[in-house]
Short mmCIF file of all heavy atoms in Angstrom, two decimals:
data_model
loop_
_atom_site.label_atom_id
_atom_site.label_comp_id
_atom_site.label_asym_id
_atom_site.label_seq_id
_atom_site.Cartn_x
_atom_site.Cartn_y
_atom_site.Cartn_z
N TYR A 1764 -49.37 2.92 -61.13
CA TYR A 1764 -48.77 3.10 -62.53
C TYR A 1764 -47.83 4.22 -62.44
O TYR A 1764 -48.00 5.32 -61.95
CB TYR A 1764 -49.89 3.40 -63.50
CG TYR A 1764 -50.91 2.30 -63.65
CD1 TYR A 1764 -51.97 2.14 -62.74
CD2 TYR A 1764 -50.80 1.40 -64.74
CE1 TYR A 1764 -52.89 1.08 -62.86
CE2 TYR A 1764 -51.78 0.37 -64.91
CZ TYR A 1764 -52.78 0.23 -63.92
OH TYR A 1764 -53.72 -0.75 -64.07
N ARG A 1765 -46.70 4.04 -63.18
CA ARG A 1765 -45.64 5.05 -63.27
C ARG A 1765 -45.13 5.12 -64.69
O ARG A 1765 -44.68 4.14 -65.28
CB ARG A 1765 -44.50 4.73 -62.34
CG ARG A 1765 -43.27 5.76 -62.44
CD ARG A 1765 -43.59 7.04 -61.63
NE ARG A 1765 -42.58 8.03 -61.88
CZ ARG A 1765 -42.60 9.21 -61.25
NH1 ARG A 1765 -43.47 9.44 -60.23
NH2 ARG A 1765 -41.54 10.05 -61.51
N TYR A 1766 -45.14 6.38 -65.29
CA TYR A 1766 -44.66 6.58 -66.59
C TYR A 1766 -43.61 7.66 -66.59
O TYR A 1766 -43.80 8.70 -65.89
CB TYR A 1766 -45.82 7.07 -67.53
CG TYR A 1766 -45.48 7.47 -68.99
CD1 TYR A 1766 -45.53 6.50 -69.93
CD2 TYR A 1766 -45.07 8.72 -69.33
CE1 TYR A 1766 -45.18 6.77 -71.29
CE2 TYR A 1766 -44.73 9.03 -70.57
CZ TYR A 1766 -44.86 8.08 -71.57
OH TYR A 1766 -44.50 8.42 -72.87
N ASP A 1767 -42.49 7.49 -67.26
CA ASP A 1767 -41.32 8.44 -67.22
C ASP A 1767 -40.80 8.57 -68.69
O ASP A 1767 -40.67 7.62 -69.35
CB ASP A 1767 -40.21 7.94 -66.27
CG ASP A 1767 -40.59 7.96 -64.90
OD1 ASP A 1767 -40.71 9.16 -64.31
OD2 ASP A 1767 -40.79 6.96 -64.20
N THR A 1768 -40.54 9.84 -68.95
CA THR A 1768 -39.74 10.12 -70.14
C THR A 1768 -38.26 10.58 -69.82
O THR A 1768 -38.11 11.04 -68.67
CB THR A 1768 -40.43 11.28 -71.05
OG1 THR A 1768 -40.53 12.42 -70.13
CG2 THR A 1768 -41.77 10.85 -71.38
N TYR A 1769 -37.32 10.42 -70.72
CA TYR A 1769 -35.95 10.56 -70.36
C TYR A 1769 -35.13 11.58 -71.16
O TYR A 1769 -33.95 11.67 -71.13
CB TYR A 1769 -35.21 9.22 -70.37
CG TYR A 1769 -35.82 8.20 -69.46
CD1 TYR A 1769 -36.68 7.27 -69.88
CD2 TYR A 1769 -35.51 8.31 -68.09
CE1 TYR A 1769 -37.23 6.36 -68.98
CE2 TYR A 1769 -36.05 7.39 -67.15
CZ TYR A 1769 -36.93 6.39 -67.61
OH TYR A 1769 -37.57 5.56 -66.78
N ASP A 1770 -35.96 12.40 -71.99
CA ASP A 1770 -35.26 13.45 -72.75
C ASP A 1770 -36.06 14.71 -72.40
O ASP A 1770 -37.24 14.90 -72.87
CB ASP A 1770 -35.36 13.20 -74.26
CG ASP A 1770 -34.45 12.06 -74.64
OD1 ASP A 1770 -33.26 12.24 -74.64
OD2 ASP A 1770 -35.00 10.97 -74.98
N THR A 1771 -35.40 15.68 -71.63
CA THR A 1771 -36.08 16.80 -71.18
C THR A 1771 -36.40 17.80 -72.24
O THR A 1771 -37.37 18.65 -72.08
CB THR A 1771 -35.19 17.59 -70.13
OG1 THR A 1771 -33.94 17.86 -70.77
CG2 THR A 1771 -35.00 16.67 -68.90
N ASP A 1772 -35.75 17.75 -73.47
CA ASP A 1772 -36.10 18.67 -74.50
C ASP A 1772 -37.14 18.13 -75.50
O ASP A 1772 -37.34 18.64 -76.57
CB ASP A 1772 -34.78 19.00 -75.29
CG ASP A 1772 -34.12 17.79 -75.83
OD1 ASP A 1772 -34.40 16.63 -75.36
OD2 ASP A 1772 -33.31 17.96 -76.80
N LYS A 1773 -37.77 16.99 -75.10
CA LYS A 1773 -38.79 16.37 -76.01
C LYS A 1773 -40.06 16.32 -75.17
O LYS A 1773 -40.15 16.68 -74.11
CB LYS A 1773 -38.28 15.01 -76.39
CG LYS A 1773 -37.08 15.13 -77.37
CD LYS A 1773 -36.71 13.80 -77.95
CE LYS A 1773 -35.41 13.96 -78.82
NZ LYS A 1773 -35.00 12.57 -79.38
N PHE A 1774 -41.13 15.72 -75.90
CA PHE A 1774 -42.46 15.67 -75.28
C PHE A 1774 -42.45 14.90 -73.91
O PHE A 1774 -41.76 13.88 -73.81
CB PHE A 1774 -43.41 14.95 -76.20
CG PHE A 1774 -43.84 15.79 -77.35
CD1 PHE A 1774 -44.71 15.34 -78.37
CD2 PHE A 1774 -43.42 17.17 -77.53
CE1 PHE A 1774 -44.97 16.04 -79.51
CE2 PHE A 1774 -43.86 17.91 -78.63
CZ PHE A 1774 -44.68 17.37 -79.62
N ASP A 1775 -43.27 15.50 -73.00
CA ASP A 1775 -43.42 14.79 -71.74
C ASP A 1775 -44.75 14.02 -71.64
O ASP A 1775 -45.44 13.96 -72.64
CB ASP A 1775 -43.23 15.73 -70.51
CG ASP A 1775 -44.23 16.89 -70.59
OD1 ASP A 1775 -45.26 16.79 -71.34
OD2 ASP A 1775 -44.12 17.85 -69.87
N ASP A 1776 -45.12 13.54 -70.48
CA ASP A 1776 -46.36 12.74 -70.38
C ASP A 1776 -47.57 13.55 -70.72
O ASP A 1776 -48.50 13.08 -71.36
CB ASP A 1776 -46.50 12.14 -69.00
CG ASP A 1776 -46.54 13.22 -67.91
OD1 ASP A 1776 -45.36 13.69 -67.59
OD2 ASP A 1776 -47.55 13.61 -67.42
N VAL A 1777 -47.60 14.82 -70.42
CA VAL A 1777 -48.75 15.67 -70.72
C VAL A 1777 -48.92 15.81 -72.20
O VAL A 1777 -50.03 15.71 -72.71
CB VAL A 1777 -48.69 17.03 -69.99
CG1 VAL A 1777 -49.82 17.96 -70.39
CG2 VAL A 1777 -48.69 16.84 -68.49
N GLN A 1778 -47.82 16.16 -72.86
CA GLN A 1778 -47.88 16.42 -74.28
C GLN A 1778 -48.14 15.08 -75.13
O GLN A 1778 -48.66 15.17 -76.16
CB GLN A 1778 -46.57 16.97 -74.78
CG GLN A 1778 -46.26 18.35 -74.23
CD GLN A 1778 -44.89 18.87 -74.41
OE1 GLN A 1778 -43.98 18.13 -73.98
NE2 GLN A 1778 -44.66 19.97 -75.07
N LEU A 1779 -47.91 13.93 -74.44
CA LEU A 1779 -48.17 12.73 -75.14
C LEU A 1779 -49.57 12.15 -74.68
O LEU A 1779 -49.95 11.02 -75.01
CB LEU A 1779 -47.15 11.62 -74.74
CG LEU A 1779 -45.69 11.97 -75.37
CD1 LEU A 1779 -44.68 11.13 -74.71
CD2 LEU A 1779 -45.75 11.78 -76.93
N PHE A 1780 -50.37 12.91 -73.94
CA PHE A 1780 -51.68 12.49 -73.51
C PHE A 1780 -51.70 11.26 -72.73
O PHE A 1780 -52.66 10.46 -72.71
CB PHE A 1780 -52.60 12.38 -74.70
CG PHE A 1780 -53.06 13.60 -75.33
CD1 PHE A 1780 -52.22 14.29 -76.32
CD2 PHE A 1780 -54.22 14.32 -74.94
CE1 PHE A 1780 -52.56 15.48 -76.80
CE2 PHE A 1780 -54.58 15.51 -75.49
CZ PHE A 1780 -53.78 16.16 -76.45
N GLU A 1781 -50.69 11.00 -71.96
CA GLU A 1781 -50.54 9.85 -71.06
C GLU A 1781 -51.30 10.17 -69.77
O GLU A 1781 -51.06 11.08 -69.05
CB GLU A 1781 -49.11 9.51 -70.77
CG GLU A 1781 -48.94 8.35 -69.80
CD GLU A 1781 -49.75 7.04 -70.33
OE1 GLU A 1781 -49.38 6.63 -71.39
OE2 GLU A 1781 -50.58 6.53 -69.57
N THR A 1782 -52.33 9.28 -69.47
CA THR A 1782 -53.20 9.52 -68.22
C THR A 1782 -52.77 8.78 -67.04
O THR A 1782 -53.22 9.08 -65.92
CB THR A 1782 -54.67 9.23 -68.60
OG1 THR A 1782 -54.71 7.85 -68.96
CG2 THR A 1782 -55.21 10.07 -69.69
N MET A 1783 -51.92 7.76 -67.24
CA MET A 1783 -51.56 6.94 -66.12
C MET A 1783 -50.13 7.03 -65.86
O MET A 1783 -49.21 6.12 -66.02
CB MET A 1783 -51.88 5.43 -66.40
CG MET A 1783 -53.36 5.19 -66.67
SD MET A 1783 -54.46 5.61 -65.34
CE MET A 1783 -54.01 4.44 -64.22
N GLN A 1784 -49.56 8.31 -65.51
CA GLN A 1784 -48.14 8.53 -65.35
C GLN A 1784 -47.70 8.46 -63.92
O GLN A 1784 -46.49 8.22 -63.66
CB GLN A 1784 -47.86 9.92 -65.93
CG GLN A 1784 -47.90 11.13 -65.08
CD GLN A 1784 -49.38 11.35 -64.66
OE1 GLN A 1784 -50.27 10.99 -65.17
NE2 GLN A 1784 -49.42 12.11 -63.47
N ASN A 1785 -48.57 8.67 -62.93
CA ASN A 1785 -48.21 8.57 -61.50
C ASN A 1785 -49.55 8.40 -60.82
O ASN A 1785 -49.98 9.30 -59.99
CB ASN A 1785 -47.45 9.78 -61.02
CG ASN A 1785 -46.95 9.68 -59.62
OD1 ASN A 1785 -46.98 8.59 -59.00
ND2 ASN A 1785 -46.45 10.71 -59.12
N ASP A 1786 -50.20 7.25 -60.98
CA ASP A 1786 -51.56 7.06 -60.53
C ASP A 1786 -51.71 5.85 -59.57
O ASP A 1786 -51.09 4.81 -59.86
CB ASP A 1786 -52.48 6.90 -61.76
CG ASP A 1786 -52.58 8.22 -62.56
OD1 ASP A 1786 -51.58 8.61 -63.15
OD2 ASP A 1786 -53.66 8.84 -62.50
N LEU A 1787 -52.66 6.04 -58.65
CA LEU A 1787 -52.88 4.98 -57.75
C LEU A 1787 -54.35 4.60 -57.89
O LEU A 1787 -55.25 5.45 -57.88
CB LEU A 1787 -52.64 5.38 -56.27
CG LEU A 1787 -52.92 4.30 -55.20
CD1 LEU A 1787 -52.01 3.12 -55.35
CD2 LEU A 1787 -52.80 5.00 -53.78
N PHE A 1788 -54.65 3.27 -58.04
CA PHE A 1788 -55.99 2.76 -58.23
C PHE A 1788 -56.30 1.89 -56.96
O PHE A 1788 -55.58 0.90 -56.71
CB PHE A 1788 -56.13 1.93 -59.47
CG PHE A 1788 -57.41 1.06 -59.61
CD1 PHE A 1788 -58.67 1.77 -59.49
CD2 PHE A 1788 -57.31 -0.21 -59.67
CE1 PHE A 1788 -59.80 0.97 -59.59
CE2 PHE A 1788 -58.48 -0.98 -59.77
CZ PHE A 1788 -59.73 -0.39 -59.76
N ILE A 1789 -57.46 2.15 -56.30
CA ILE A 1789 -57.93 1.34 -55.23
C ILE A 1789 -59.40 0.95 -55.64
O ILE A 1789 -60.26 1.74 -55.88
CB ILE A 1789 -57.93 2.09 -53.92
CG1 ILE A 1789 -56.48 2.53 -53.58
CG2 ILE A 1789 -58.53 1.20 -52.77
CD1 ILE A 1789 -55.59 1.50 -53.28
N GLY A 1790 -59.61 -0.35 -55.61
CA GLY A 1790 -60.91 -0.86 -56.05
C GLY A 1790 -61.39 -2.05 -55.24
O GLY A 1790 -60.60 -2.74 -54.50
N VAL A 1791 -62.63 -2.40 -55.44
CA VAL A 1791 -63.31 -3.51 -54.85
C VAL A 1791 -64.09 -4.27 -55.87
O VAL A 1791 -64.75 -3.66 -56.76
CB VAL A 1791 -64.26 -3.00 -53.74
CG1 VAL A 1791 -64.99 -4.30 -53.06
CG2 VAL A 1791 -63.53 -2.26 -52.63
#
Side-chain angles (χ1 to χ4, degrees):
Y1764 297 81
R1765 177 76 188 189
Y1766 177 93
D1767 289 289
T1768 57
Y1769 298 101
D1770 290 288
T1771 56
D1772 58 340
K1773 297 183 180 181
F1774 286 174
D1775 60 14
D1776 58 281
V1777 173
Q1778 293 166 302
L1779 291 168
F1780 286 86
E1781 178 55 57
T1782 59
M1783 304 298 293
Q1784 90 295 338
N1785 187 10
D1786 292 67
L1787 180 65
F1788 167 60
I1789 301 296
V1791 177

